Amino acid sequence: MISQWVYALGFALLTPALIAWRDAYDWILSHGRFRERVYVLGSGEQARNIVAAIRSRSDIGMEVVGWTG
């Protein structure tokens, strides 16, 4: 049997670690050096949708450098 203090200790340790990890991830993605630069090949509606999706989501770590559209 695991006592209740083990759950409380785990929660107390993992919550700040998760918050720190998310802050570090956001900090890393905010710097252009760590973003993946992509070039989208295509000129149709699907290519436009992909470019719009990438540009609207800064949290995925991608930057559209160009596209044939």
Side-chain angles (χ1 to χ4, degrees), residues 5-17:
W5 68 270
V6 173
Y7 291 119
L9 179 64
F11 184 76
L13 293 175
L14 290 178
T15 300

Side-chain angles (χ1 to χ4, degrees), residues 1-55:
M1 301 266 328
I2 298 176
S3 65
Q4 291 181 353
W5 68 270
V6 173
Y7 291 119
L9 179 64
F11 184 76
L13 293 175
L14 290 178
T15 300
L18 179 61
I19 292 170
W21 172 255
R22 291 184 57 94
D23 287 342
Y25 181 76
D26 288 339
W27 180 81
I28 288 171
L29 287 183
S30 70
H31 289 78
R33 178 182 312 155
F34 299 108
R35 297 182 71 75
E36 185 174 355
R37 297 165 49 94
V38 296
Y39 186 89
V40 179
L41 293 174
S43 61
E45 185 66 28
Q46 187 173 11
R48 279 190 287 276
N49 291 339
I50 290 171
V51 169
I54 292 172
R55 287 184 176 163

Side-chain angles (χ1 to χ4, degrees), residues 43-67:
S43 61
E45 185 66 28
Q46 187 173 11
R48 279 190 287 276
N49 291 339
I50 290 171
V51 169
I54 292 172
R55 287 184 176 163
S56 69
R57 299 265 325 261
S58 63
D59 61 325
I60 60 174
M62 293 183 178
E63 174 186 354
V64 177
V65 294
W67 66 297

